[in-house]
Amino acid sequence: YRSAIFYHSDEQKKVAEQVVADFTKEKVWGKPIVTQVEKFTELYEAEGYHSQYYQNNKSQPYCAFIIQPKVAKFRKAFVDKLKK
């Protein structure tokens, strides 16, 4: 798996790169952010069981112990950033 943000416009690219840079500078996760910012080219539809996986499987160990803490940390950092 990989983490990526696919942008459609120069403005989206600018915002995505700024958020990644800010979170990296603030050491939100304590490690370098590896999310790639790439231009959107084509959409490949995933199999149905992948759709809304986290929403539909929050009790799964990977979701509960890996994804949920990261989502919570991101939300807190993002909300704090919006308040500034």
Side-chain angles (χ1 to χ4, degrees):
Y1 295 104
R2 69 180 188 143
S3 174
I5 299 170
F6 297 99
Y7 63 88
H8 293 266
S9 68
D10 289 339
E11 180 62 24
Q12 287 179 345
K13 179 182 180 185
K14 180 180 166 186
V15 169
E17 289 176 337
Q18 188 62 55
V19 169
V20 170
D22 290 348
F23 284 2
T24 298
K25 181 180 175 187
E26 296 165 13
K27 298 181 179 166
V28 172
W29 281 273
K31 294 183 180 180
I33 295 174
V34 297
T35 300
Q36 300 169 330
V37 178
E38 299 180 12
K39 185 172 181 151
F40 174 84
T41 56
E42 192 170 351
L43 179 66
Y44 298 96
E45 191 168 337
E47 294 86 357
Y49 65 91
H50 285 297
S51 183
Q52 300 295 319
Y53 187 84
Y54 173 67
Q55 274 312 100
N56 296 327
N57 296 280
K58 288 185 178 183
S59 63
Q60 292 292 326
Y62 182 80
C63 293
F65 298 109
I66 304 297
I67 297 174
Q68 196 284 326
K70 289 182 179 185
V71 169
K73 195 170 194 176
F74 173 81
R75 285 184 175 152
K76 181 183 182 324
F78 195 74
V79 168
D80 289 349
K81 182 171 221 23
L82 291 175
K83 290 179 182 177
K84 291 180 182 181

